[in-house]
Amino acid sequence: MKPLHCLTRYSPPRSTFHLSLLTFHLSLLTRHLSLVTLLLLLPAWCIALPLDSTPVPGGIAVVRLPNDVAPATLRYRDRKVLVLQQDGEQSAVVGLSLGTKPGRHYLKAETTQGESLSIAFTVEDKAYEEQHITIEDKRKVNPEKRDMERITREKKQISAALQQWSAQPDVVIDFVKPVEGPTSSPFGLKRFFNEQPRNPHSGLDIAAPEGTPIRAPAPGTVIDTGNYFFNGNTVLIDHGQGLVTMYCHMSAIDVKPGTRVETGDVIGKVGMTGRVTGPHLHWGVSLNDARVDPVLFIPAEEPAAE
Ligand SMILES: [Zn+2]
């Protein structure tokens, strides 16, 4: 290491951390599967390794960290960042919001000796498609004055939950899909409600009949539940280190803040509460307070098409 106070280091070539991530994913798998099954599954994992996807707005950057980085000091845009430890190596898993500009970005950290570090990674561009939706309830597109107070209050409550940070060493990032069903609206679409531009689609919509059970995709703790103007009946789960998932438009909520959930536990049922055109689950995933494509966490699924 050069004796500079502030170093800029570049992330290693993709091929390098492809291998280390593969190792990482395989070790996750070995918890559940025998070696024979593992070998049979290997080609599929090679193709569908989700966290090896190119860093794009709405995606994830997986950045190998020098061994001497103190994980607790790592920041991206002043937010703490998820760090995974595996075989003596550590990698940052950085959420990139849809508003992220393509180009070079930097993680800030300190070494265990207290040296400042700047670790660079590159974000590429991604163009998301447009979606035009007609909403019958015009109040859900142009809320009345009396709705605005409620909307502002709820926005603060949801933001606080999405900024949740709990320091826990083992964060499960290979998710099980919370509801089986076709994608009715992928992540990232540029949205127009009744031909008026609105925020891009910050989650994945899975179509399923009303009453279908919704299952926790990974272990975590319920941090908030509520009935919100746009999102309807909603549950938020904290999975640790800034990884938070959100479930909206539910017909029923079966958990409370503080409920500990394991993978597959039922948290509620699919519904059509809030701003919807039909029954579906809106599933959001937030990482370091950036909304990212949930599909990236389901190994068997492909991310939203460009
Ligand atoms: Zn949605």
Side-chain angles (χ1 to χ4, degrees), residues 16-31 62-67 71 82-93 169-174 241:
T16 314
F17 53 82
H18 181 100
L19 199 64
S20 71
L21 275 166
L22 181 62
T23 317
F24 170 74
H25 267 271
L26 290 180
S27 76
L28 287 177
L29 262 178
T30 47
R31 284 193 221 150
V62 180
V63 183
R64 269 276 297 284
L65 301 173
N67 283 343
L82 170 65
V83 176
L84 297 174
Q85 312 275 350
Q86 184 62 35
D87 295 335
E89 291 181 343
Q90 46 187 2
S91 299
V93 184
D170 297 320
V171 178
V172 174
I173 57 164
D174 56 339
Q241 292 196 39

Side-chain angles (χ1 to χ4, degrees), residues 131 184-186 191 201-206 231 248-249 275-276 280-284:
Q131 184 183 37
S184 54
S185 180
R191 282 192 147 173
H201 192 216
S202 61
L204 172 74
D205 288 354
I206 306 168
N231 296 326
C248 303
H249 313 308
R275 184 173 62 187
V276 293
H280 72 278
L281 170 67
H282 171 100
W283 181 33

Side-chain angles (χ1 to χ4, degrees), residues 192-263:
F192 297 80
F193 288 106
N194 300 352
E195 296 310 321
Q196 298 172 49
R198 290 292 181 271
N199 287 336
H201 192 216
S202 61
L204 172 74
D205 288 354
I206 306 168
E210 189 150 16
T212 305
I214 300 167
R215 297 176 187 281
T221 303
V222 175
I223 35 174
D224 207 356
T225 66
N227 183 293
Y228 302 124
F229 186 80
F230 292 120
N231 296 326
N233 289 324
T234 297
V235 169
L236 289 126
I237 303 176
D238 170 24
H239 301 280
Q241 292 196 39
L243 180 59
V244 176
T245 56
M246 184 178 186
Y247 308 80
C248 303
H249 313 308
M250 298 161 77
S251 61
I253 294 175
D254 294 345
V255 287
K256 291 189 202 120
T259 305
R260 175 78 199 163
V261 291
E262 298 301 331
T263 307

Side-chain angles (χ1 to χ4, degrees), residues 1-190:
M1 186 194 302
K2 291 178 192 166
L4 293 173
H5 183 66
C6 182
L7 298 172
T8 298
R9 297 182 189 171
Y10 296 99
S11 43
R14 288 187 67 209
S15 55
T16 314
F17 53 82
H18 181 100
L19 199 64
S20 71
L21 275 166
L22 181 62
T23 317
F24 170 74
H25 267 271
L26 290 180
S27 76
L28 287 177
L29 262 178
T30 47
R31 284 193 221 150
H32 313 292
L33 301 169
S34 72
L35 187 61
V36 175
T37 320
L38 185 66
L39 290 171
L40 287 172
L41 281 176
L42 193 56
W45 278 89
C46 290
I47 296 161
L49 198 63
L51 295 185
D52 193 39
S53 57
T54 309
V56 292
I60 286 167
V62 180
V63 183
R64 269 276 297 284
L65 301 173
N67 283 343
D68 57 353
V69 163
T73 66
L74 195 69
R75 298 283 185 282
Y76 176 62
R77 293 179 164 171
D78 294 328
R79 299 255 187 251
K80 292 184 189 177
V81 175
L82 170 65
V83 176
L84 297 174
Q85 312 275 350
Q86 184 62 35
D87 295 335
E89 291 181 343
Q90 46 187 2
S91 299
V93 184
V94 190
L96 304 167
S97 71
L98 279 164
T100 305
K101 299 270 179 287
R104 187 143 289 171
H105 289 252
Y106 297 89
L107 300 172
K108 302 288 179 193
E110 285 181 17
T111 65
T112 45
Q113 281 78 42
E115 253 188 333
S116 297
L117 278 181
S118 187
I119 303 155
F121 64 97
T122 303
V123 175
E124 292 180 18
D125 203 3
K126 178 167 179 173
Y128 291 93
E129 287 179 10
E130 288 185 2
Q131 184 183 37
H132 297 258
I133 299 168
T134 304
I135 300 283
E136 302 283 319
D137 182 357
K138 295 196 171 34
R139 212 172 131 189
K140 288 280 193 292
V141 180
N142 296 308
E144 293 172 9
K145 213 171 166 186
R146 61 193 163 121
D147 299 324
M148 289 313 292
E149 195 186 319
R150 178 182 168 191
I151 291 166
T152 307
R153 188 176 65 241
E154 291 175 357
K155 215 174 157 183
K156 272 190 200 159
Q157 195 179 343
I158 294 166
S159 294
L162 293 172
Q163 286 170 26
Q164 177 84 5
W165 178 272
S166 55
Q168 61 181 72
D170 297 320
V171 178
V172 174
I173 57 164
D174 56 339
F175 285 175
V176 170
K177 209 171 170 182
V179 165
E180 278 309 321
T183 297
S184 54
S185 180
F187 171 88
L189 295 178
K190 293 172 188 158

